[in-house]
């Protein structure tokens, strides 16, 4: 059995104690360290080599957003799951854009937090299509014009097929659903997703979805449907 190494980052010692107690009972998860502020994160990661970091957003000196950006800029970066009290929070969005693999609410049932850690360790983002849409709608009016222009410049690097796959990822489709919709094998979908990530210098599918939304690709796709004319 592969044990998932987890680092807890939260400025509230009670939250850390609660998470540690809750996760300590799982045979496949090991709490390898704790940090109380973003200033401590990189040293803690170097010391403990976690697979997943559970990262609080709001901390006194260096917040979870800055700490996530610093971590995800490293070649050996662990996966980051953001801990938050809000569903649709601008800071959560910024953390996802910075490379966090998803987020969990602090009042999430223990079994779901454990499931989230396992999913992220396996390479799957922790965001349902519904939550992704909520976040996108929340961000729609925030510096949208500037962000759209930048996003369109970036997605111009994609070929037509890669763009279709990026749109499908943005629509919340799984690899199997994309394969059925675009008449290709699941292996080919995975290859296209990997190429999109590499070309756009992104970390995960959540970032593909956000960039596709920013660039207006999802709106263009809706308009091109027969019912959209």
């Amino acid at each position: 059995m592969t044990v998932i190494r987890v680092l807890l980052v939260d400025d509230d010692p009670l939250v850390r104690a609660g998470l540690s107690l809750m996760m300590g009972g799982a045979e496949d998860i090991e709490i390898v360290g704790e940090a109380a502020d973003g200033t401590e994160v990189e040293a803690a990661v170097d010391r403990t080599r976690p697979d997943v970091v559970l990262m609080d957003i709001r901390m006194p000196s260096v917040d979870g957003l800055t700490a996530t950006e610093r971590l995800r800029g490293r070649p050996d970066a662990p996966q980051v799951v953001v801990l938050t009290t809000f569903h649709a929070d601008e800071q959560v969005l910024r953390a996802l854009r910075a490379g966090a693999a998803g987020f969990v609410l602090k009042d999430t049932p223990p079994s779901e937090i454990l499931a989230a850690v396992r999913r992220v360790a396996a390479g799957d983002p922790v965001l349902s299509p519904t939550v992704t849409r909520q976040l996108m709608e929340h961000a729609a009016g925030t510096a949208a014009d500037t962000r759209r222009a930048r996003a369109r410049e970036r997605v111009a690097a994609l070929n037509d097929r890669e763009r279709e796959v990026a749109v499908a990822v943005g629509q919340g489709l799984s690899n199997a659903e994309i394969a059925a919709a675009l008449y290709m094998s699941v292996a080919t979908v995975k290859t296209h997703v990997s190429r999109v990530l590499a070309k756009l210098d992104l970390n995960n599918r959540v970032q593909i979805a956000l960039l596709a939304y920013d660039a207006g690709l999802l709106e263009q796709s809706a308009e091109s449907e027969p019912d959209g004319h």
Side-chain angles (χ1 to χ4, degrees), residues 2 28 35 80 95 109 150 161 166 179 206 228:
T2 302
D28 60 336
V80 176
R150 289 177 181 167
R161 204 57 162 162
V206 175

Side-chain angles (χ1 to χ4, degrees), residues 17-150:
L19 287 169
S20 183
L21 183 65
M22 175 198 73
M23 303 178 81
E27 292 184 359
D28 60 336
I29 293 176
E30 178 186 1
I31 305 301
V32 294
E34 298 182 9
D37 191 80
T39 54
E40 305 170 11
V41 170
E42 290 188 271
V45 166
D46 289 339
R47 186 175 64 253
T48 62
R49 299 292 175 187
D51 302 303
V52 177
V53 177
L54 276 178
M55 181 86 75
D56 187 22
I57 283 281
R58 293 171 178 80
M59 293 180 287
S61 298
V62 172
D63 64 21
L65 169 64
T66 303
T68 297
E69 289 173 336
R70 290 175 181 172
L71 272 187
R72 295 305 298 173
R74 296 162 54 130
D76 57 345
Q79 296 292 342
V80 176
V81 176
V82 170
L83 287 167
T84 182
T85 52
F86 300 100
H87 271 291
D89 175 36
E90 180 62 25
Q91 286 191 303
V92 173
L93 262 172
R94 288 174 61 199
L96 295 173
R97 293 186 199 282
F103 73 90
V104 293
L105 299 175
K106 288 189 176 181
D107 60 358
T108 297
S111 61
E112 292 183 24
I113 294 180
L114 292 172
V117 168
R118 292 181 180 115
R119 283 188 59 188
V120 165
D124 296 325
V126 187
L127 275 186
S128 69
T130 302
V131 172
T132 304
R133 281 194 296 273
Q134 284 181 332
L135 287 166
M136 289 175 178
E137 287 164 6
H138 176 74
T142 311
D145 291 342
T146 302
R147 201 168 59 239
R148 173 150 297 190
R150 289 177 181 167

Side-chain angles (χ1 to χ4, degrees), residues 3 41 64 74 96 153 160 182:
V3 175
V41 170
R74 296 162 54 130
L96 295 173
E153 285 180 14
D160 290 344
L182 299 181

Side-chain angles (χ1 to χ4, degrees), residues 164-184:
E164 288 178 329
V165 170
V167 168
V169 170
Q171 292 168 336
L173 301 184
S174 67
N175 285 342
E177 290 168 336
I178 295 172
L182 299 181
Y183 304 103
M184 60 176 76

